[in-house]
């Protein structure tokens, strides 16, 4: 499986060995096919936890509430990988976690999406044992058997949606974490913030993340995205040019990626 996905065997012995996101996606999808297991991602999620995030997990463990832990994840996840994008929408009653792959990762992503949202849901449930998401939506079509999905996510699981997202009710965010340490968290967060500012792909990743969150619901142009990112349109375009891309090129890439996924994986 690793060979088919072009993953170096060294990755199995070294947790810090870098692996392209596209290879991980291919690995999971190929495993599901070879094992004839539609729920491969969900089953894997029950054997994993947030410790796979390495140093970021250390920061998250020092958070004092579930809300603070989730803020850490959304704010610094790009230090773990820029191949998976998280966009968080906040309403009066809940947080909506939009989850997607970057446009250049390509391919089917059913197992990757279900794995990611399941690990997140199960981690929240460790702090709140009876908690279930208000709603979970997947862009892909449903499997033939929904029993495991309902066990992991509850009754409100929907497929063939315009986006893959986890809806987290606001009440759970104030839940206190026993492992929290405000002083340690502050020190670690300062270090992560400094690393984030030095990330060359930061604005590119943020731009694609905003494009993906806006496309299903509203018109999306550089002025709107720049406003969300608190920069001018000219500054945004200049930065993207320095990264050998442009806003129009990124927009077209996201549209093409979404179109292919809607056609290949959903009804």
């Amino acid at each position: 499986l690793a060979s088919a996905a072009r993953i170096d065997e060294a990755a199995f012995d070294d947790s810090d060995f870098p692996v392209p996101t596209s290879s991980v996606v291919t690995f999971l999808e190929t495993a599901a096919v070879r094992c004839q297991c539609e729920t491969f991602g969900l089953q894997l999620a029950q054997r994993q936890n947030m410790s796979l995030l390495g140093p970021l997990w250390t920061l998250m463990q020092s958070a004092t509430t579930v809300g603070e832990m989730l803020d850490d994840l959304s704010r610094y996840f790009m230090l773990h990988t820029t191949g998976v994008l998280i966009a968080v929408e906040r309403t009066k009653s809940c947080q909506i976690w939009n989850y997607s792959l970057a446009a250049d990762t390509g391919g089917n992503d059913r197992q990757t999406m279900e794995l990611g949202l399941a690990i997140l849901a199960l981690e929240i449930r460790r702090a709140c044992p009876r908690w279930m998401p208000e709603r979970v939506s997947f862009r892909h079509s449903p499997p033939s058997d929904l029993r495991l999905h309902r066990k992991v996510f509850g009754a409100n699981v929907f497929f063939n949606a315009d986006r893959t997202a986890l809806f987290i009710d606001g009440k759970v965010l104030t839940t206190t974490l026993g492992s929290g340490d405000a002083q340690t968290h502050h020190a670690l967060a300062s270090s992560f913030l400094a690393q984030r500012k030095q990330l060359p792909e930061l604005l590119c990743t943020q731009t694609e993340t905003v494009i993906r969150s806006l496309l299903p619901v509203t018109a999306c142009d550089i002025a709107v995205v720049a406003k969300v990112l608190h920069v001018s349109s000219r500054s945004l375009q200049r930065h993207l040019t320095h990264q050998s891309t442009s806003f129009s090129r990124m927009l077209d890439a996201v549209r093409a990626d979404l179109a292919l996924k809607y056609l290949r994986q959903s009804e």
Side-chain angles (χ1 to χ4, degrees):
L1 287 173
S3 177
R6 298 183 178 180
I7 295 177
D8 192 309
E9 289 184 16
F12 290 98
D13 299 316
D14 181 1
S15 60
D16 293 323
F17 192 90
V19 179
T21 304
S22 57
S23 294
V24 177
V25 174
T26 300
F27 183 92
L28 293 174
E29 296 299 327
T30 306
V33 173
R34 298 273 182 90
C35 297
Q36 298 182 340
C37 178
E38 285 185 297
T39 58
F40 187 89
L42 288 189
Q43 293 193 45
L44 181 58
Q46 296 178 93
R47 295 170 175 264
Q48 292 185 332
N49 56 43
M50 289 287 187
S51 64
L52 58 86
L53 297 177
L56 177 54
W57 177 228
T58 304
L59 171 67
M60 293 169 63
Q61 283 183 300
S62 69
T64 56
T65 65
V66 170
E68 191 172 52
M69 178 184 74
L70 294 178
D71 285 343
D72 292 336
L73 180 60
S74 64
R75 188 175 293 120
Y76 302 116
F77 188 67
M78 62 185 64
L79 293 174
H80 176 70
T81 177
T82 56
V84 181
L85 308 177
I86 295 175
V88 181
E89 298 175 40
R90 292 173 170 82
T91 70
K92 291 183 178 179
S93 61
C94 73
Q95 285 188 2
I96 306 171
W97 280 63
N98 297 289
Y99 197 68
S100 60
L101 295 178
D104 59 358
T105 54
N108 292 335
D109 62 3
R110 173 190 294 267
Q111 305 304 328
T112 308
M113 294 294 98
E114 294 191 355
L115 171 66
L117 288 195
I119 288 177
L120 178 57
L122 292 171
E123 191 58 49
I124 296 173
R125 197 170 304 139
R126 287 188 179 92
C128 310
R130 297 183 180 181
W131 175 83
M132 284 290 182
E134 282 194 1
R135 176 188 177 98
V136 178
S137 63
F138 290 104
R139 191 178 290 115
H140 52 259
S141 58
S144 56
D145 188 339
L146 285 173
R147 284 178 295 179
L148 185 56
H149 287 77
R150 288 172 178 155
K151 176 184 176 183
V152 173
F153 298 117
N156 298 320
V157 186
F158 301 90
F159 296 85
N160 294 311
D162 60 358
R163 58 182 171 175
T164 294
L166 183 73
F167 292 67
I168 304 171
D169 54 286
K171 293 180 181 179
V172 75
L173 301 176
T174 59
T175 302
T176 301
L177 297 176
S179 61
D181 183 327
Q183 187 173 356
T184 300
H185 185 268
H186 178 74
L188 290 173
S190 297
S191 174
F192 273 85
L193 180 59
Q195 293 178 55
R196 185 175 183 265
K197 290 179 178 179
Q198 298 301 315
L199 191 68
E201 311 96 321
L202 175 61
L203 199 53
C204 283
T205 300
Q206 290 176 315
T207 299
E208 181 173 347
T209 301
V210 173
I211 289 173
R212 285 182 177 276
S213 63
L214 290 178
L215 273 180
V217 294
T218 188
C220 183
D221 58 36
I222 191 169
V224 173
V225 173
K227 185 176 181 180
V228 172
L229 295 176
H230 305 292
V231 297
S232 68
S233 299
R234 183 174 297 179
S235 294
L236 177 57
Q237 188 62 72
R238 184 169 58 249
H239 181 86
L240 296 177
T241 299
H242 289 161
Q243 293 294 318
S244 301
T245 187
S246 67
F247 182 82
S248 60
R249 190 181 303 171
M250 293 185 71
L251 181 61
D252 286 346
V254 172
R255 281 176 167 157
D257 178 63
L258 288 174
L260 286 172
K261 284 184 168 63
Y262 288 135
L263 288 168
R264 290 173 174 169
Q265 299 188 124
S266 78
E267 298 167 6

